Amino acid sequence: MTQKERSWEKRLAGEPNQVMMRFVESLSFDQRLYKYDIQGSIAHAAMLCEQSLITSDELAAIKTGLSDIQQEIEAGTFVFDYKDEDIHMAIESALIAKIGAPGEKLHTGRSRNDQVATDIRLWMREQITVIQDKIRLLQQALVAQAEKYTTALLPSYTHFQRAQPVVVAAYLMSFVEQIQRDFIRFQNCAGLLNWSPLGSGAIAGSTLPIDRDATARSLGFNGPTANSIDSVSDRDFCAEFTFDCALLSAHLSRIAEDWIIYSSSEFGFIHIDDTLCTCSSMMPQKKNPDALELVRGKTGTVYGALMAMMTILKAQPSGYNRDLQEDKVHVFQASDTIEACLDVMHAVVNNTTFNVEHIEAGLDAGFLDATALAEYLVIKGVPFRKAHGIVGTLVSQCEQARCKLSDLGLDQFKTQSSAIDEDVYSYLGPASVAKRYASAGAGGPKQAQTQIDHWKTKLTTRN
Ligand code: ARG
């Protein structure tokens, strides 16, 4: 088809300015929507036929033409021409070139405005399942690691200062919970977006008897959206999806940050397999956790996409505006980045070991058993606030004497509280503390095992 033969250009005088054409095209990035565009077009054409707006022969020709185009795109033989502006025009032009007259009827009662809104929803609905599957794989890897470390101890940190002892499994399971909320957020996003804007036309619908229920049903939507003006401009689901990617990205960056620190010589808590580390071009001794640093760094890319998406939506006049074309740039960016981060985190988690003995050898530092000692005093009848003060004093004495709480003699304990007895020693030390955790969800071996058991069953299902 030549430029002049494009019906949508009859209105304008002269050949379109090439700088403008290159500027407004979206084909370079929306061609990945081809499958959904064709799926939507087939549903639309079938409805047109049901409504006697096209004949069944025309429908058959449209279907064959579209499926040939899909095959050509998938085989890499389809020639994309940016002058077609976007994937919708590219496919329609190709269809008309292929089947002639019936192809010219496909756009009956439809606009690219409702078409693109439908395509992104179809794409996103599927993409969400891809991301969710990757979240599940990462959860599986974390649970598998947790199973190996149900009794091995780890200092937990608040304010990045040593806090209380936990088992490594409890630490690992904390990430399973975090990313489960991401899984649910994506699920909610998929639920909310699953309404069909198709048939809303450019903004006000159509005077033709378009059956929106039928297209909605055949595309697996819950039903048609209620208002055509809202439908062509609604990209709330894009903002939501990008936010879900951003928060997941934040969670992944937290694991990454921990493990970058844990793998340092200063900590030596974990060993990341060499295959997942990089070297320095100058310093021959280096083994760097670049993959994790990039998971952390790419959070910036995803947050950027979210900020862009929110800004695109702000203060647009109602109805469709071309600004909305930019939505895809950022939605795809967020989605591709989060997929890549999930893949690499999965590989890193699978290929990391905790240096259990090394961690254990350093557990004496930081008075990890201080809170448990205060709680011991509570059991002996001392009000918690008093117990807190008593243990605080004992800790500062230990700090001066450069010893740990369990090094204090009973007489020294007694100078601070007569409630302390000989049995105190069985309450001290990180391992005893971890074993004594009694509250649900605490950092001990029992609670970690409960969580592991729960997740092992849950991870076999897709909810
Ligand atoms: N490529 C456009 C987009 O992504 C499709 C809709 C264009 N509509 C229009 N009337 N110019 O939003």
Side-chain angles (χ1 to χ4, degrees):
M1 206 183 263
T2 69
Q3 281 295 300
K4 278 295 164 200
E5 276 171 320
R6 293 180 155 109
S7 74
W8 52 98
E9 279 162 6
K10 296 270 197 235
R11 161 74 179 80
L12 304 172
E15 285 289 310
N17 179 301
Q18 293 306 297
V19 174
M20 187 278 294
M21 287 297 283
R22 287 211 179 270
F23 186 70
V24 302
E25 70 85 26
S26 55
L27 188 56
S28 51
F29 54 89
D30 68 11
Q31 48 181 271
R32 66 200 276 175
L33 293 175
Y34 77 90
K35 206 170 65 174
Y36 310 97
D37 197 71
I38 288 171
Q39 193 186 344
S41 287
I42 290 175
H44 182 69
M47 178 278 294
L48 291 177
C49 181
E50 274 301 308
Q51 299 300 100
S52 305
L53 290 163
I54 62 172
T55 65
S56 46
D57 286 349
E58 286 166 337
L59 171 62
I62 289 172
K63 276 187 176 168
T64 313
L66 287 173
S67 106
D68 287 352
I69 291 168
Q70 173 150 355
Q71 276 168 26
E72 285 165 33
I73 295 175
E74 280 161 9
T77 54
F78 188 89
V79 183
F80 288 105
D81 179 355
Y82 79 93
K83 292 197 194 81
D84 282 324
E85 280 194 48
D86 53 31
I87 188 63
H88 326 294
M89 290 309 225
I91 291 174
E92 193 190 333
S93 302
L95 183 70
I96 295 169
K98 217 180 250 303
I99 64 166
E104 294 185 324
K105 293 194 174 180
L106 176 61
H107 215 52
T108 306
R110 184 177 79 167
S111 155
R112 281 183 292 164
N113 297 356
D114 59 339
Q115 200 178 347
V116 71
T118 307
D119 290 6
I120 320 172
R121 285 174 195 245
L122 291 172
W123 171 85
M124 196 174 283
R125 200 173 64 184
E126 202 165 295
Q127 185 55 23
I128 283 175
T129 66
V130 172
I131 295 174
Q132 284 185 312
D133 287 347
K134 287 182 193 290
I135 292 175
R136 281 283 178 260
L137 281 178
L138 181 55
Q139 287 177 315
Q140 271 158 14
L142 286 161
V143 172
Q145 285 285 24
E147 276 196 284
K148 296 184 202 154
Y149 302 108
T150 49
T151 55
L153 296 166
L154 189 73
S156 67
Y157 294 83
T158 65
H159 313 268
F160 205 53
Q161 305 294 316
R162 286 197 164 198
Q164 291 174 279
V166 294
V167 290
V168 172
Y171 164 77
L172 291 169
M173 295 307 292
S174 75
F175 296 115
V176 175
E177 292 294 332
Q178 281 184 45
I179 62 176
Q180 174 61 11
R181 291 191 294 276
D182 296 311
F183 185 97
I184 295 168
R185 256 185 292 274
F186 279 111
Q187 194 68 41
N188 293 342
C189 180
L192 214 49
L193 70 78
N194 203 30
W195 297 89
S196 174
L198 195 57
S200 298
I203 180 163
S206 171
T207 56
L208 297 167
I210 298 301
D211 184 352
R212 297 192 56 213
D213 280 304
T215 46
R217 220 177 310 116
S218 80
L219 291 169
F221 287 114
N222 300 330
T225 51
N227 178 297
S228 65
I229 305 169
D230 173 45
S231 304
V232 291
S233 67
D234 171 22
R235 296 292 185 278
D236 293 358
F237 58 97
C238 293
E240 209 177 318
F241 175 84
T242 319
F243 172 77
D244 294 350
C245 292
L247 197 50
L248 173 53
S249 190
H251 292 150
L252 298 183
S253 81
R254 297 186 71 181
I255 314 182
E257 170 77 348
D258 269 6
W259 289 21
I260 290 163
I261 294 168
Y262 287 180
S263 64
S264 67
S265 310
E266 283 72 13
F267 271 72
F269 281 8
I270 58 170
H271 176 266
I272 305 170
D273 193 80
D274 284 9
T275 54
L276 284 148
C277 293
T278 58
C279 208
S280 153
S281 60
M282 183 170 178
M283 299 171 285
Q285 86 286 10
K286 290 302 291 287
K287 176 182 155 182
N288 295 327
D290 289 36
L292 292 174
E293 291 166 78
L294 278 165
V295 168
R296 193 175 56 185
K298 282 177 191 290
T299 311
T301 308
V302 184
Y303 282 15
L306 173 62
M307 202 39 70
M309 197 59 239
M310 295 299 290
T311 311
I312 289 165
L313 296 183
K314 177 189 172 291
Q316 277 192 42
S318 79
Y320 176 86
N321 300 277
R322 194 62 176 263
D323 315 37
L324 291 174
Q325 177 167 288
E326 285 292 293
D327 61 356
K328 287 169 283 300
V329 174
H330 306 289
V331 163
F332 293 158
Q333 175 78 274
S335 180
D336 292 346
T337 309
I338 207 68
E339 261 199 73
C341 290
L342 283 165
D343 285 344
V344 87
M345 272 318 301
H346 178 248
V348 172
V349 169
N350 270 336
N351 290 284
T352 294
T353 48
F354 280 78
N355 302 326
V356 174
E357 277 105 57
H358 174 77
I359 298 170
E360 208 152 332
L363 286 178
D364 284 349
F367 306 100
L368 291 163
D369 46 5
T371 309
L373 177 56
E375 288 176 351
Y376 162 87
L377 283 165
V378 168
I379 292 166
K380 300 282 175 183
V382 181
F384 179 75
R385 194 43 69 210
K386 278 220 155 38
H388 186 273
I390 292 166
V391 179
T393 308
L394 288 167
V395 165
S396 86
Q397 286 174 357
C398 284
E399 231 169 19
Q400 270 163 23
R402 293 176 188 280
C403 70
K404 45 189 197 292
L405 285 165
S406 59
D407 291 333
L408 297 174
L410 191 55
D411 49 331
Q412 285 169 293
F413 277 124
K414 291 251 188 234
T415 59
Q416 294 310 315
S417 171
S418 58
I420 301 179
D421 293 321
E422 189 61 46
D423 63 348
V424 71
Y425 294 103
S426 72
Y427 285 78
L428 296 173
S432 328
V433 174
K435 268 194 223 111
R436 282 183 189 277
Y437 285 132
S439 56
K446 282 193 293 284
Q447 293 86 351
Q449 193 58 56
T450 306
Q451 291 168 52
I452 291 169
D453 294 344
H454 163 77
W455 277 102
K456 280 181 74 178
T457 322
K458 190 170 170 67
L459 286 175
T460 55
T461 67
R462 235 200 136 267
N463 306 295

